[in-house]
Amino acid sequence: MTMTHAQGAKRHSPPPAWRKPVLMGAPLVLLLVAFLVFPVGQLLALSVYNGQGFTLAPYAQLFASSLYITVLWITLKISLATTVVAVVAAYPVAYLISIAKGPAKSRLIFWVLLSFWTSFLVRAFAWVVILGRNGVVNSTLMSLGIIDTPADLLYGFGAVLVGMVHAMLPLAVMTMLAVMENIDRTLPRAAGTLGARPGTAFWTVYFPLSLPGVAASAIMVFVSAIGFFIVPALLGGRKETMITQLIIDQVQQTLNWGLAGAISVLLLTVVLVVFLLYDRVFGFASLTGESAVVRNRDTAMRRLGGRVLAALGSVSDALIGLVPRRHPLRGRSERPVALTAFVWLLLVLISLPAFLMIPLSFGKGGLAWPPSGFTLQWYQQLLDSPIWMQALWRSIVVAFGTGLLSMAIGVPAAFLMVRSQMRGKGAMLAFILSPIVVPRMIIAVGMFYVFAQMGLVGTILGLVIGHTVVAVPYVVMTMMAVLRNYDTRLDLAAQSLGARPVAALRHVTFPILGAGMLSSFLFAFATSFDELTISLFSSGGLSATLPKQFWDEVTLQVSPVIAAVSTGLLLFVATLIYVADRLRRRSLAG
Amino acid sequence: MSSSSLSVQGLAKRYGDFVALAPTDLVVADGEFLTLLGPSGSGKTTLLSLLAGLVPPDEGSVRIGSQDVTYAPPYERDIGVVFQNYALFPHMTIEENIAFPLKMRKVGAAEAKRRALEALEMVHLPHIAGRYPRELSGGQQQRVALARCMVYKPSIILMDEPLGALDKKLREHMQLEIKRLHRELGTTVVYVTHDQEEAMTMSDRICLMNAGRIEQLGTPADLYFRPRSLFVADFLGESNILPAALGSRSGDEVEIGLGTQGVSGRALANGNDLPPGTEVRVMVRPQNLTVARKGGSTPDGLQGRVSEVMVTGSLTKVYMEPLDGKLPPLVAAFPTRNDDDAVRIDDVLTLSWSGRDAVVIADSARAAGTA
Ligand SMILES: Nc1ncnc2c1ncn2[C@@H]1O[C@H](COP(=O)(O)OP(=O)(O)OP(=O)(O)O)[C@@H](O)[C@H]1O
Ligand SMILES: [Mg+2]
């Protein structure tokens, strides 16, 4: 019956309402203004300002020859093809994951994540080994006697498409999955009780509901593909040059900043047009996994679409009907065997290339297939090389710094986005996510220009800032998803039971959000650890990160040490995912 | 003022333009059991949250004892809250959940465990200490929420429909437990329920809420027999509400005229001081109406034709259409008797009541259904 008056004695006054949102949102906004808006703005300005005054010379140069337009056209063609193939292939994978349960689901996700987080460089380089003159495909075909002389598989459209699809497939699956997981699974079943056969139920109920996911995944893949340069540079020939490579050339070789700026304007315009179209049709909300209502205003199109879907449904039902079923009820299992088999085949295919590096790293014969003998010499060389070791150390430090900084400014912003009702929230979210939209190459070049003036090139701080700019949107997105599922009344309950805010955070909020926060951190960590574009410029000549070192090696002198590095990276990523998953499960159980 | 009394002044909460709680004054005495009653969405949870400090008010103040706690955080208020949605921590076992407030108060682990198990004993769930909230039924979760709130014996407890998910028997048991705790510890309790019977039996006072404001505050008998508005009369139990014209006043009773056929009666003025001739309503509870066959001792009373007879176990209810078509249908209730002379449909009966059992309601505002 006694009440402590000690603390109650001080007179409380209402805190000003504006203070919290500003404190939570300002650091992220400031970071993006200083290191995204300003650098990109600078770069774009360079295309019309040459030090003395206004000029349109770079644009004259841009349109003087057909080169740039041709390259832009090639870029769009490759990106579009990549998008179509990746999205179509990703759909069954994401669908299977969304309906799988328990260990089966974890296993599927593990393999997708493994590909997702295995360095782009390792995966692209694996294709060089597979498709090369002495590569896996050629030597297998020759030993089988199918061909006599090695075929030219590398350096063509096919190789680029394979590499690009391989690079983008995990991203496509993960984006689609975010939407599919939110589809109420009782709906197709409800359709079943209303008389729809399984095929019809899928095509007329589930598929339309999953379309926002398909759209989100398509645009993510398309925009990433446009700004991607690793695959075309390693696997493509002259005819597969993409526009980002032209920017690199201008900056690294001819030092023509004006032209680099003009090309960036061109690229950015294309991306913006694509996004505006996307917003017209689907709305941006579907990108953050919020179930968006498809705003399909064109009713004629809708009716046509409806008819096509209904027809597809009847066709699939007819096909399903051809297969005899002994147990009609059990035959209606939610996980068709054929689908499972197909998905696993796909997962094996996308995982395999990186795994080929393991036997090569222990072989005496270098990077030629098949591997011969057993040696640890490549690992020995790797460990003895100060360049590699310093690069590894630098990458780890930068990735940790990026993870911490992204969390420190991204988590409060995510809280703000989910919990406050402030005006302009949509605009702010769009701004926070903009580093994903702006092609990475443009950010990297602009940042390089600004860093050079600030003396940040080649510094750890510069790299951490640069990587945080591109990693923080992912932190905000994953944390928003986590927070949306969190019942804020639990915090209030803890406080009403006597927990001060810090104790409530420690005992209630963080334990429940812990797994989500850890995966956000790992996301930022992995993004930085695999970041090449920004590091390519801003790490400076002598202080390379691991991906930069990897890139320098594969573009200058290919050595089997690369296979050893790749194996190490693969193991590292696999361990990381495994540990994260264990932690997540422990926090769910405990 | 004693340390665990609660008082609010001009307390208000808006969500955008929507007024969840209009400026409200309320005093809950030390050790009182006050129940908030009212239709869904009337602001009960809002008022409770403001008392607990879970949401900041837009205006007004909250005091506990003589302390102004309007903007004090919940953990400085020593208030226990049983949440409408239970709010059990999903990552803690039941025992850890219940021990949580003790841990926050730096109670030793062994002592905390002992008291947590004792609290579980009290809600009849000693066997589930090691389980997680998701492994319990809704009713079990509700009882755990109750145990978690009671285990640290706060001097003020706010409960938001704490027994809503329980069956009748368990509910009655928990009602007794809550009452016992209230009595033994002298806890001040603010209680939300949708169950009128529960409100009537447990409360010292009832606060009936409607559309974000207090409609009437008083003892259960006040609200039941002396409603200040049609809303209150209509919300609590069954009632007969008749249009009437005021006549002359004598003491606290007043003469009333009903309908067009010169029928008159008496009713409590209920604090209304209106001139004769004013149009008002009069409320009589069904069990306070006396019925007699036509030609009985009150020949010029109100007459009605029986339209339905319902025997509800201990009570018999008789529904009637007044012969005067200007008056609304009426219902009377009396103990069921094993009677040959039973009332039948189409019988014409004469109705009467004691002046102390009818009350004048001056309020012309809406009834509960149309609020
Ligand atoms: N966070 C909020 N934002 C907007 N409106 C709210 C919010 N919380 C409550 N309201 C509104 O305020 C009104 C009062 O809500 P409150 O929860 O107090 O009702 P209640 O009396 O507890 O109802 P019930 O008996 O159904 O629990 C409701 O109309 C509700 O929709
Ligand atoms: Mg409520």
Side-chain angles (χ1 to χ4, degrees):
Chain A
M1 279 306 301
T2 50
M3 187 191 150
T4 41
H5 283 281
Q7 315 99 335
K10 60 176 180 271
R11 160 89 218 202
H12 295 270
S13 56
W18 53 266
R19 207 171 61 192
K20 241 167 110 183
V22 168
L23 284 180
M24 290 166 89
L28 180 47
V29 171
L30 288 181
L31 178 90
L32 292 187
V33 168
F35 295 104
L36 179 77
V37 177
F38 180 61
V40 171
Q42 280 260 351
L43 177 62
L44 301 187
L46 283 172
S47 70
V48 292
Y49 181 80
N50 63 4
Q52 281 98 49
F54 180 78
T55 171
L56 280 176
Y59 292 94
Q61 203 179 345
L62 188 65
F63 295 107
S65 76
S66 63
L67 171 72
Y68 299 98
I69 299 305
T70 313
V71 170
L72 180 64
W73 175 238
I74 292 172
T75 307
L76 291 178
K77 214 169 54 182
I78 293 178
S79 304
L80 196 63
T82 304
T83 306
V84 171
V85 180
V87 167
V88 169
Y91 194 92
V93 182
Y95 177 69
L96 187 67
I97 293 178
S98 76
I99 63 172
K101 291 188 198 71
K105 186 179 193 120
S106 307
R107 236 176 295 135
L108 285 165
I109 291 182
F110 176 85
W111 287 102
V112 174
L113 281 181
L114 186 65
S115 285
F116 187 63
W117 278 0
T118 302
S119 168
F120 283 123
L121 278 164
V122 172
R123 286 188 285 151
F125 181 66
W127 285 107
V128 176
V129 174
I130 293 172
L131 299 176
R133 288 187 72 80
N134 300 319
V136 180
V137 175
N138 272 323
S139 48
T140 309
L141 290 181
M142 288 212 295
S143 68
L144 290 175
I146 297 174
I147 52 173
D148 299 329
T149 51
D152 278 327
L153 301 171
L154 264 182
Y155 311 127
F157 184 79
V160 171
L161 187 60
V162 166
M164 291 286 274
V165 168
H166 183 217
M168 298 298 162
L169 190 62
L171 175 69
V173 173
M174 299 307 284
T175 321
M176 228 181 264
L177 188 59
V179 172
M180 285 188 182
E181 294 276 30
N182 286 332
I183 296 178
D184 188 346
R185 243 185 293 151
T186 54
L187 288 178
R189 264 184 238 151
T193 65
L194 297 171
R197 293 168 158 280
T200 307
F202 176 84
W203 287 108
T204 57
V205 177
Y206 189 90
F207 185 73
L209 286 174
S210 69
L211 271 184
V214 173
S217 138
I219 190 147
M220 291 301 288
V221 169
F222 188 75
V223 170
S224 309
I226 282 187
F228 207 54
F229 69 96
I230 297 173
V231 166
L234 290 182
L235 304 179
R238 283 196 53 80
K239 278 193 290 178
E240 286 77 31
T241 305
M242 284 177 62
I243 201 151
T244 40
Q245 282 165 287
L246 295 185
I247 302 180
I248 302 183
D249 291 346
Q250 296 311 321
V251 173
Q252 289 196 328
Q253 284 156 28
T254 51
L255 292 178
N256 188 342
W257 286 95
L259 188 54
I263 302 175
S264 302
V265 169
L266 188 66
L267 180 55
L268 205 53
T269 311
V270 171
V271 170
L272 284 183
V273 167
V274 170
F275 263 92
L276 287 181
L277 283 179
Y278 179 89
D279 188 41
R280 292 288 314 222
V281 182
F282 298 103
F284 279 127
S286 63
L287 277 184
T288 50
E290 252 165 75
S291 52
V293 183
V294 184
R295 281 185 291 136
N296 204 337
R297 298 189 201 90
D298 189 348
T299 49
M301 276 293 282
R302 263 185 84 159
R303 256 177 286 139
L304 182 66
R307 247 177 260 149
V308 170
L309 293 176
L312 273 172
S314 327
V315 172
S316 352
D317 283 328
L319 286 176
I320 294 171
L322 290 179
V323 185
R325 277 200 312 247
R326 258 174 306 166
H327 306 286
L329 270 179
R330 226 182 285 163
R332 245 187 268 153
S333 102
E334 279 188 68
R335 204 140 53 91
V337 180
L339 175 66
T340 311
F342 173 75
V343 167
W344 275 111
L345 183 71
L346 213 60
L347 287 179
V348 167
L349 274 181
I350 66 169
S351 311
L352 205 58
F355 277 88
L356 286 178
M357 304 308 272
I358 299 175
L360 286 178
S361 71
F362 294 108
K364 286 209 178 81
L367 292 172
W369 194 262
S372 55
F374 180 86
T375 174
L376 289 175
Q377 73 179 97
W378 312 124
Y379 288 94
Q380 193 58 50
Q381 273 187 30
L382 178 62
L383 293 175
D384 287 344
S385 153
I387 300 183
W388 276 111
M389 287 299 109
Q390 276 168 17
L392 172 64
W393 177 240
R394 204 170 289 119
S395 274
I396 290 177
V397 171
V398 170
F400 253 107
T402 302
L404 292 180
L405 186 59
S406 309
M407 292 300 281
I409 63 177
V411 172
F415 268 88
L416 188 65
M417 289 294 103
V418 172
R419 294 198 181 166
S420 92
Q421 271 128 27
M422 66 177 199
R423 261 173 294 147
K425 214 168 73 167
M428 184 164 167
L429 185 59
F431 182 57
I432 291 176
L433 299 185
S434 61
I436 302 180
V437 181
V438 180
R440 184 77 59 88
M441 183 59 66
I442 297 179
I443 302 177
V445 172
M447 222 176 242
F448 177 49
Y449 189 82
V450 170
F451 280 1
Q453 294 162 344
M454 299 170 71
L456 282 175
V457 173
T459 62
I460 299 272
L461 179 64
L463 286 174
V464 167
I465 291 175
H467 288 179
T468 300
V469 167
V470 294
V472 83
Y474 296 103
V475 168
V476 174
M477 275 207 290
T478 42
M479 282 312 293
M480 279 176 70
V482 170
L483 287 174
R484 267 198 217 102
N485 295 328
Y486 180 77
D487 184 356
T488 52
R489 281 173 293 200
L490 292 176
D491 291 334
L492 297 177
Q495 291 203 12
S496 81
L497 292 168
R500 300 175 150 272
V502 175
L505 275 181
R506 190 162 83 89
H507 294 290
V508 177
T509 320
F510 282 162
I512 298 175
L513 292 182
M517 296 185 60
L518 182 74
S519 55
S520 284
F521 175 83
L522 288 180
F523 219 125
F525 184 93
T527 305
S528 161
F529 200 71
D530 190 32
E531 212 297 320
L532 175 60
T533 321
I534 289 172
S535 311
L536 195 61
F537 301 99
S538 295
S539 67
L542 291 174
S543 47
T545 58
L546 203 59
K548 171 75 166 28
Q549 180 61 28
F550 197 111
W551 176 253
D552 289 347
E553 291 272 325
V554 296
T555 48
L556 298 177
Q557 38 151 137
V558 177
S559 125
V561 173
I562 294 287
V565 176
S566 302
T567 305
L569 282 175
L570 190 62
L571 262 180
F572 179 69
V573 167
T575 317
L576 222 79
I577 300 172
Y578 182 75
V579 170
D581 191 51
R582 284 309 293 260
L583 282 176
R584 187 181 60 88
R585 260 186 253 183
R586 240 207 9 224
S587 81
L588 280 186
Chain B
M1 223 184 239
S2 164
S3 66
S4 49
S5 65
L6 259 174
S7 70
V8 307
Q9 243 176 22
L11 197 65
K13 181 71 188 172
R14 285 178 296 274
Y15 291 109
D17 290 338
F18 179 80
V19 180
L21 187 70
T24 295
D25 299 328
L26 175 67
V27 177
V28 188
D30 185 16
E32 183 176 2
F33 196 115
L34 179 90
T35 297
L36 303 180
L37 197 63
S40 185
S42 56
K44 304 180 296 292
T45 300
T46 304
L47 177 53
L48 225 55
S49 307
L50 290 168
L51 292 178
L54 305 177
V55 296
D58 291 320
E59 287 169 33
S61 66
V62 180
R63 290 171 160 273
I64 296 176
S66 52
Q67 299 294 314
D68 185 324
V69 295
T70 312
Y71 296 102
Y75 51 86
E76 285 180 6
R77 297 191 183 198
D78 195 33
I79 283 184
V81 183
V82 180
F83 287 80
Q84 190 166 13
N85 66 334
Y86 323 143
L88 301 179
F89 304 126
H91 62 302
M92 297 182 193
T93 61
I94 297 311
E95 187 188 317
E96 286 165 350
N97 258 289
I98 298 178
F100 183 84
L102 301 175
K103 191 167 154 189
M104 290 301 114
R105 285 165 175 74
K106 310 252 181 309
V107 175
E111 166 75 2
K113 187 182 170 77
R114 190 185 62 73
R115 280 168 62 180
L117 292 180
E118 206 176 271
L120 270 179
E121 203 78 53
M122 185 190 76
V123 294
H124 288 206
L125 290 172
H127 55 289
I128 57 147
R131 288 206 221 157
Y132 286 94
R134 63 173 174 278
E135 298 166 342
L136 305 186
S137 73
Q140 288 172 331
Q141 291 185 27
Q142 199 159 47
R143 281 183 281 163
V144 172
L146 214 54
R148 185 176 68 176
C149 174
M150 290 175 168
V151 72
Y152 61 102
K153 304 191 168 58
S155 51
I156 301 175
I157 297 186
L158 313 178
M159 302 191 207
D160 204 344
E161 296 184 45
L163 309 181
L166 305 185
D167 63 55
K168 191 163 164 13
K169 190 145 174 271
L170 207 51
R171 206 180 161 98
E172 277 164 7
H173 167 76
M174 294 309 300
Q175 286 175 356
L176 285 177
E177 281 296 336
I178 292 174
K179 276 307 270 185
R180 186 177 65 79
L181 220 93
H182 170 239
R183 223 177 19 250
E184 285 174 7
L185 303 175
T187 317
T188 307
V189 177
V190 181
Y191 191 92
V192 174
T193 180
H194 275 287
D195 181 337
Q196 295 181 14
E197 206 175 307
E198 188 170 290
M200 295 282 204
T201 54
M202 296 186 62
S203 322
D204 295 323
R205 284 191 303 163
I206 295 176
C207 173
L208 185 58
M209 301 193 58
N210 181 28
R213 60 186 75 242
I214 296 180
E215 194 75 30
Q216 187 170 350
L217 176 64
T219 63
D222 276 342
L223 266 73
Y224 190 74
F225 291 112
R226 291 174 289 282
R228 314 271 324 162
S229 66
L230 282 182
F231 177 85
V232 180
D234 213 36
F235 190 82
L236 283 180
E238 255 186 313
S239 58
N240 294 299
I241 295 171
L242 300 164
L246 286 184
S248 61
R249 183 154 175 175
S250 53
D252 55 359
E253 281 183 29
V254 65
E255 190 106 13
I256 50 170
L258 296 169
T260 51
Q261 295 171 352
V263 178
S264 67
R266 304 190 66 76
L268 283 173
N270 199 18
N272 293 305
D273 203 6
L274 298 164
T278 313
E279 293 289 332
V280 294
R281 312 280 171 128
V282 169
M283 186 212 69
V284 197
R285 295 289 173 190
Q287 68 272 29
N288 295 333
L289 280 180
T290 316
V291 295
R293 297 213 175 270
K294 192 169 161 35
S297 56
T298 48
D300 54 350
L302 188 57
Q303 293 188 335
R305 186 183 303 281
V306 175
S307 58
E308 185 73 76
V309 180
M310 284 197 329
V311 180
T312 64
S314 55
L315 281 184
T316 297
K317 287 188 187 170
V318 177
Y319 292 86
M320 286 161 285
E321 294 289 343
L323 296 184
D324 179 350
K326 280 273 183 313
L327 295 175
L330 298 169
V331 54
F334 43 80
T336 305
R337 272 181 303 245
N338 186 7
D339 197 345
D340 294 337
D341 191 24
V343 174
R344 290 201 179 73
I345 291 182
D346 281 343
D347 286 359
V348 173
L349 302 175
T350 303
L351 295 148
S352 60
W353 61 86
S354 138
R356 306 220 63 83
D357 288 331
V359 325
V360 170
I361 299 171
D363 147 274
S364 57
R366 64 274 122 155
T370 55

